Every structure is written in structure tokens, then in C-alpha cells.
């Protein structure tokens, strides 16, 4: 029995040793995995922190530019009589009494409401029950932003516009007209018409509404033989409008070169000889009191377009319909399946710049001898430059199209929104207008409108050299009632903007 007891004791000891040998690798494995798990967790925390910093820095890029303007607005609030209002409900009740207290409250929207607009939309999209699959990829911040942009594009549902077809057709038509203009007007004393330049929204690649696209072309005019043009700033102009008058002056043509063309000098030949042997001067046809008349010139354009049309190749398959206009030449061409509306504007170049004086008015009523300054050619070239620099998937034109459609029905003009977008294109790199940046750029634009309304002037543009600033919101600076109305309209527009982004309409 004693020997049996010792054998059992040795057997127990052997079994315990075997158990210890089997447990040792597991303990060592756990000791190895613990620091590895801690390392992985640290890396994940670092990645999440960097993603948050990246998003914050990107949002602050544009905000940093406007810090001084915002602080100055708040500091000057009391000096301008814009008292603080405790809450938005009290401000809304006082709007009808033209109380300027709501202006200061609206000034604080940028700090309180609009700064959080991006986060509000992102959270709403990310938490939406229908978007679980769309936002399933969270591996990188760019992927998440790209999915947000794709969802917003689906919600906005901008129509696909084929503007290029109409632009190409219009260019071809105007090239044919230019050839015949040269033949018909040769050796005459009417303005010399240069090659037409496509301008306006269609030639810039966007349009507020697809159903009423107008293809605008601008035709520079130079003086005929024996004449010269002199631009004079209208002394009676209002300070927010730059109107010019085009004074037509007769020049001496007594030189041998002019005599070889059998041209009589309007200055030195007797009037009887001029009337019997030479056509009337430009002063006697398209001028009023020695100044080129817009309305007379427009009627002259209508006569040219109507007379030349049958000779053009387009007349074989297309129908021409002239449309009424007192300061341009508008017409519609159609062939049964397609229809294009074309407007021919005309004007005179200022020096060798891309700035012209144009027949297109800025005010509701413009005198027939007034030619407003226009930057349409420069703006078209600006958008051409942006297209050359921007990536193929840039959404800057969709941003512009969205906001010009959004402000329809409000007092904010399409041109105001275009000015704000063009300013942003000069300060935000074109590489940051892709789908992943879509929400940021939309928020930038609505904030830009807010700043413009508060400051009663749009942000200045840097793309036009030698062009004086033109205040699109001059009526707000001159009329307190209009300013209060604009503040109210901006609030309504902002609510509409948020509803669209949230998919509530």
C-alpha cells in the first residue's frame, strides 16, 4: 500500500507538470497580445483625431478670410443703431415697425446658425434611415464627404442642360452674319461690325432655367471712315451706375489715301456736293445730338438681320421670327424640333480692355443715348479660364445654377449670386469644387449672400482690371425699408435652402 501511495503521488506531480507546460504558451500569447491591442487602439484614436482636425481646418479656411469683417460688423452694431435683440421671435414681431434691432440679431446668424449649418446637414444625412448603405464607408474622410455630396446632388436634382448645342449653332449663325455684314456695309458710313462674342449665362455654361435660355452675343462696333467715337461719362449719372455717351465726331479725309477711295471730306466739301454725291454721315442716320442713339441702332440691326436672313444657309431649314426690343435685336429661330432664342447686343470697346459700353441697360429706364458699362466679355473669359484650370468633375457651375434657381421669386438678382460665386472662385482653389466639397461650397455661397446683405454691398471681384466697383445692393444702402425687407427675405431663403438640403421638399 505504501508503494502504491508513492506511485499515485508521482503520477499527480507528472500530470501537474504537463498541465503547466500546456498553459505556458497561452499565457505568453496573452502577454504579447495586450500591448498589440493597446497599440491598435492608440492608432485608431490618432486617426479619428486627425480626421476631426482636417475637417475643422477646412471649415476655417474661408471663415478666416471674413473674421475682420464679422468682428467689425459686431463692434459697430451699436454705433449704427442696430441694437441687440434677445431672441428671434421678438425680432420678427418688430420687423413690421422697421425696428433695426433685428439687423444686429441677423448679424449674429453667421456666428450662431450658419457656422453650424454644415454640421446640421451632415448629421441629418448621416443619421437618416435611408442612407445607411450610402454612408457605409467611413474609412477615409474624403469618402464620407463624397457620399454626402452625392446625396445632396440627388436631392437638389438639377436638370441636365445641353447648352453646347445652342452655343455652337448660334456661333455658326453669327459667323455667317458677320461675313454678310462686311459685304453689305462695305464703303458705307454706318458702324463697322466686328465678329460676335458669345456672352451671358448660356455661353458661360449655366442657366437658371432650361425652358427660357437666351443665347446672347455681343457685337463690338468701330467707327466708319471719316468718323471717330469718343466715350464720355454721363455727368448726370447716379453714383451707383456708370453710363457713358458715345460722341460721334467727323474727321478730315482730305489725305491722298482717302481721296483714292473717291470719298468726299465731310468737313471740307460743300454740303450740296456731299448730298448729291455721297451717302449721309453717321451723324445723320443713327445719332441724336451728335451722340450714338441705342434705339436707332437697334432698329438698324433689325433691318440688317431681316434683309440678310434669306441669303444665309440656315434659312433653308429654319424659320426666323423677330421679337420686340428697343435696345437690342432679339429673334427666335426654329425648325420644328428645335428652337433657339438669340439676342444681339452691341457696343463700343473701352480702349484695349475687355470692358465695353453696351446697349443692354442696367436700370428700368435708360435714355436712348446712354450706354451702360458692361463686363460681360470679361466675365465670359473669366469662366473660360476657370474651365481650363478646374478638374473635369468640378461642380462650380452646378453651384451657380442651383443658387440662381433658388433666388427666383426673391428680390436677390441672378447677377448678385453670380458675382458672389465668381468672388469665391477667386479665393477658393478650383480643385476644391468637387463633389466631396459640394456642401462646403454651398454653405460658403449662402454665407457670402448673408455678408453682402449685411454690408449692403457684394464682395469685390478681382478678375476685371481697371473696373470701378459697382454696388449691386445700392438700394439697401439708400433705403432702410429695403434693407429690412432684404434681411427678412434672406431668412426665408435660408430656410428654403436648408429644407432642400434636408430633402424636405
Amino acid at each position: 500500500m505504501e508503494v502504491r501511495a508513492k506511485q499515485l503521488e508521482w503520477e499527480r506531480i507528472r500530470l501537474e507538470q504537463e498541465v503547466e507546460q500546456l498553459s505556458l504558451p497561452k499565457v505568453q500569447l496573452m502577454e504579447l497580445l495586450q500591448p498589440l491591442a493597446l497599440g491598435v487602439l492608440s492608432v485608431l484614436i490618432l486617426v479619428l483625431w486627425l480626421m476631426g482636425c482636417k475637417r475643422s481646418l477646412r471649415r476655417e479656411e474661408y471663415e478666416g478670410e471674413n473674421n475682420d469683417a464679422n468682428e467689425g460688423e459686431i463692434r459697430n452694431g451699436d454705433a449704427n443703431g442696430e441694437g441687440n435683440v434677445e431672441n428671434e421671435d421678438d425680432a420678427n414681431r418688430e420687423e413690421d415697425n422697421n425696428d433695426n434691432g433685428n439687423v444686429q440679431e441677423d448679424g449674429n446668424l453667421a456666428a450662431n446658425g450658419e457656422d453650424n449649418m454644415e454640421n446640421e446637414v451632415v448629421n441629418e444625412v448621416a443619421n437618416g434611415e435611408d442612407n445607411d448603405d450610402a454612408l457605409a464607408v467611413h474609412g477615409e474622410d474624403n469618402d464620407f464627404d463624397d457620399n454626402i455630396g452625392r446625396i445632396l446632388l440627388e436631392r437638389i436634382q438639377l436638370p441636365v442642360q445641353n447648352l453646347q448645342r445652342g452655343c455652337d449653332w448660334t456661333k455658326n449663325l453669327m459667323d455667317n452674319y458677320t461675313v454678310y455684314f462686311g459685304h453689305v456695309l462695305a464703303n458705307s458710313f454706318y458702324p463697322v461690325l466686328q465678329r460676335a462674342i458669345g456672352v451671358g449665362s448660356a455661353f458661360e455654361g449655366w442657366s437658371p432655367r432650361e425652358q427660357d435660355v437666351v443665347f446672347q452675343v455681343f457685337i463690338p462696333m468701330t467707327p466708319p471712315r471719316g468718323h471717330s467715337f469718343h466715350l464720355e461719362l454721363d455727368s448726370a449719372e447716379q453714383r451707383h451706375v456708370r453710363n457713358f455717351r458715345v460722341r460721334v465726331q467727323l474727321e478730315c479725309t482730305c489725305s491722298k489715301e482717302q481721296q483714292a477711295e473717291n470719298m468726299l471730306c465731310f468737313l471740307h466739301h460743300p454740303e450740296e456736293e456731299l448730298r448729291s454725291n455721297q451717302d449721309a454721315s453717321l451723324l445723320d442716320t443713327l445719332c441724336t445730338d451728335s451722340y450714338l442713339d441705342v434705339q436707332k441702332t437697334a432698329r438698324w440691326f433689325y433691318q440688317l438681320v431681316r434683309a440678310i436672313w434669306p441669303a444665309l444657309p440656315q434659312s433653308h431649314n429654319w424659320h426666323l421670327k423677330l421679337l420686340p426690343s428697343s435696345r437690342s435685336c432679339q429673334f427666335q429661330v426654329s425648325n420644328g424640333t428645335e428652337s433657339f432664342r438669340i439676342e444681339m447686343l452691341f457696343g463700343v470697346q473701352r480702349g484695349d480692355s475687355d470692358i465695353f459700353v453696351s446697349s443692354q441697360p442696367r436700370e428700368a429706364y435708360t435714355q436712348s443715348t446712354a450706354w451702360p458699362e458692361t463686363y460681360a466679355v470679361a466675365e465670359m473669359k473669366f469662366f473660360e479660364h476657370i474651365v481650363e484650370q478646374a478638374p473635369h468633375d468640378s461642380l462650380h457651375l452646378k453651384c451657380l445654377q442651383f443658387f440662381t434657381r433658388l433666388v427666383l421669386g426673391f428680390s436677390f438678382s441672378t447677377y448678385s449670386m453670380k458675382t458672389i460665386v465668381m468672388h469665391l472662385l477667386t479665393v477658393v482653389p478650383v480643385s476644391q469644387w468637387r463633389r466631396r466639397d459640394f456642401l462646403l461650397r454651398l454653405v460658403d455661397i449662402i454665407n457670402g449672400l448673408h455678408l453682402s446683405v449685411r454690408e449692403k454691398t457684394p464682395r469685390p471681384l478681382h478678375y476685371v482690371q481697371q473696373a470701378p466697383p459697382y454696388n449691386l445692393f445700392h438700394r439697401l444702402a439708400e433705403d432702410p425699408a429695403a434693407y429690412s425687407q432684404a434681411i427678412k427675405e434672406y431668412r426665408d431663403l435660408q430656410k428654403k435652402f436648408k429644407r432642400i438640403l434636408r430633402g424636405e421638399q
Side-chain angles (χ1 to χ4, degrees):
M1 292 179 64
E2 184 176 355
V3 172
R4 179 62 178 170
K6 289 182 178 180
Q7 289 178 345
L8 292 174
E9 179 66 19
W10 283 109
E11 186 69 18
R12 183 183 63 81
I13 293 173
R14 184 181 65 81
L15 291 173
E16 287 180 354
Q17 289 177 347
E18 289 180 357
V19 170
E20 290 178 357
Q21 291 176 358
L22 292 173
S23 301
L24 182 60
K26 294 182 179 180
V27 173
Q28 292 174 344
L29 181 61
M30 291 299 296
E31 291 177 352
L32 291 174
L33 289 177
Q34 285 180 357
L36 180 60
L38 291 175
V40 171
L41 181 60
S42 300
V43 171
L44 288 175
I45 293 174
L46 179 61
V47 169
L48 292 174
W49 180 78
L50 290 174
M51 288 167 59
C53 291
K54 180 181 178 182
R55 182 181 293 275
S56 299
L57 288 173
R58 187 170 56 189
R59 286 184 54 204
E60 291 173 2
E61 276 184 357
Y62 180 69
E63 294 172 0
E65 177 192 354
N66 298 319
N67 278 344
D68 294 338
N70 292 341
E71 292 175 2
E73 180 72 18
I74 294 173
R75 288 196 302 268
N76 295 331
D78 293 336
N80 294 331
E82 299 174 351
N84 293 323
V85 178
E86 294 295 331
N87 54 66
E88 187 173 354
D89 293 336
D90 292 337
N92 291 335
R93 285 194 296 270
E94 294 173 0
E95 280 179 0
D96 293 336
N97 297 324
N98 292 327
D99 187 352
N100 289 333
N102 58 4
V103 174
Q104 180 63 34
E105 181 197 357
D106 186 78
N108 293 330
L109 282 176
N112 298 328
E114 293 179 353
D115 283 351
N116 298 323
M117 190 182 305
E118 177 194 354
N119 290 335
E120 290 178 11
V121 176
V122 169
N123 291 336
E124 188 277 332
V125 174
N127 296 328
E129 296 180 359
D130 297 334
N131 299 319
D132 293 340
D133 295 335
L135 299 177
V137 180
H138 293 276
E140 295 185 7
D141 187 45
N142 286 347
D143 294 333
F144 181 79
D145 292 340
D146 189 71
N147 285 327
I148 292 291
R150 178 172 54 81
I151 292 172
L152 293 179
L153 282 171
E154 293 174 355
R155 290 180 176 179
I156 291 174
Q157 293 182 347
L158 291 173
V160 178
Q161 297 179 333
N162 185 16
L163 299 175
Q164 193 59 45
R165 160 67 176 162
C167 290
D168 292 341
W169 196 96
T170 302
K171 287 180 180 178
N172 187 41
L173 174 69
M174 296 313 303
D175 285 344
N176 290 336
Y177 261 120
T178 300
V179 173
Y180 280 89
F181 286 159
H183 291 318
V184 172
L185 301 176
N187 299 321
S188 75
F189 300 109
Y190 285 100
V192 179
L193 305 182
Q194 306 299 318
R195 185 176 183 181
I197 305 171
V199 296
S201 60
F203 283 92
E204 292 165 354
W206 62 279
S207 181
R209 294 185 297 189
E210 63 280 3
Q211 65 270 26
D212 53 3
V213 176
V214 178
F215 297 91
Q216 290 183 330
V217 293
F218 186 83
I219 301 179
M221 300 187 302
T222 55
R225 300 171 303 157
H227 300 74
S228 60
F229 290 160
H230 302 273
L231 300 182
E232 298 178 354
L233 184 63
D234 192 346
S235 59
E237 67 164 351
Q238 300 182 19
R239 58 187 176 88
H240 55 268
V241 177
R242 283 175 61 87
N243 284 337
F244 287 79
R245 295 196 295 175
V246 181
R247 181 168 57 87
V248 178
Q249 181 174 312
L250 297 176
E251 302 291 336
C252 178
T253 58
C254 293
S255 65
K256 294 182 179 180
E257 291 79 7
Q258 297 286 2
Q259 289 178 351
E261 298 177 3
N262 297 321
M263 177 181 174
L264 302 179
C265 180
F266 286 108
L267 293 178
H268 300 115
H269 282 78
E271 292 186 7
E272 296 80 4
E273 186 179 1
L274 289 171
R275 282 197 298 267
S276 59
N277 296 291
Q278 191 162 272
D279 292 337
S281 72
L282 183 58
L283 287 172
D284 298 323
T285 54
L286 303 183
C287 292
T288 298
D289 298 330
S290 299
Y291 292 98
L292 195 61
D293 191 295
V294 175
Q295 295 183 6
K296 291 180 180 180
T297 307
R299 289 194 293 268
W300 172 65
F301 263 95
Y302 273 112
Q303 294 172 359
L304 282 176
V305 169
R306 181 189 294 110
I308 294 175
W309 172 256
L312 301 181
Q314 287 86 351
S315 65
H316 300 158
N317 301 313
W318 293 76
H319 172 71
L320 174 70
K321 178 182 179 182
L322 297 175
L323 304 175
S325 176
S326 61
R327 295 183 63 93
S328 65
C329 179
Q330 297 189 35
F331 54 91
Q332 188 173 22
V333 290
S334 57
N335 64 356
T337 58
E338 290 182 290
S339 178
F340 301 122
R341 181 176 174 181
I342 299 172
E343 180 177 22
M344 296 169 59
L345 303 169
F346 41 89
V348 178
Q349 187 176 16
R350 291 198 58 197
D352 58 354
S353 70
D354 290 324
I355 305 174
F356 292 78
V357 296
S358 169
S359 60
Q360 188 176 36
R362 279 199 182 132
E363 303 297 321
Y365 172 76
T366 304
Q367 293 183 351
S368 63
T369 56
W371 298 74
E373 197 171 49
T374 178
Y375 316 126
V377 175
E379 291 166 2
M380 180 274 299
K381 291 185 177 181
F382 171 84
F383 278 100
E384 284 186 344
H385 172 73
I386 293 297
V387 169
E388 293 174 355
Q389 302 296 320
H392 71 279
D393 56 347
S394 176
L395 296 177
H396 64 280
L397 293 179
K398 286 191 178 294
C399 290
L400 178 55
Q401 183 186 2
F402 168 70
F403 272 98
T404 53
R405 290 169 64 92
L406 183 68
V407 299
L408 293 175
F410 292 87
S411 63
F412 306 116
S413 68
T414 296
Y415 193 74
S416 298
M417 301 311 304
K418 175 182 172 182
T419 302
I420 292 170
V421 172
M422 293 177 74
H423 169 70
L424 282 172
L425 284 168
T426 65
V427 297
V428 179
V430 292
S431 60
Q432 297 181 16
W433 290 79
R434 296 182 175 181
R435 190 168 67 178
R436 63 172 176 263
D437 311 300
F438 190 49
L439 176 58
L440 287 173
R441 299 292 81 83
L442 293 180
V443 174
D444 286 345
I445 295 170
I446 192 95
N447 287 348
L449 176 61
H450 186 204
L451 289 174
S452 297
V453 173
R454 285 170 51 209
E455 298 174 4
K456 305 175 185 178
T457 179
R459 287 293 183 178
L461 296 177
H462 308 290
Y463 67 94
V464 176
Q465 299 274 332
Q466 304 175 349
Y470 172 67
N471 186 5
L472 296 171
F473 294 142
H474 60 84
R475 59 184 179 83
L476 305 184
E478 299 172 351
D479 187 352
Y483 183 40
S484 298
Q485 178 64 24
I487 293 294
K488 180 179 182 302
E489 285 199 27
Y490 171 77
R491 289 175 177 157
D492 294 338
L493 182 69
Q494 186 190 53
K495 293 176 183 177
K496 180 180 178 182
F497 172 73
K498 289 183 177 181
R499 287 197 303 269
I500 293 175
L501 297 192
R502 291 169 179 164
E504 296 176 359
Q505 71 165 25

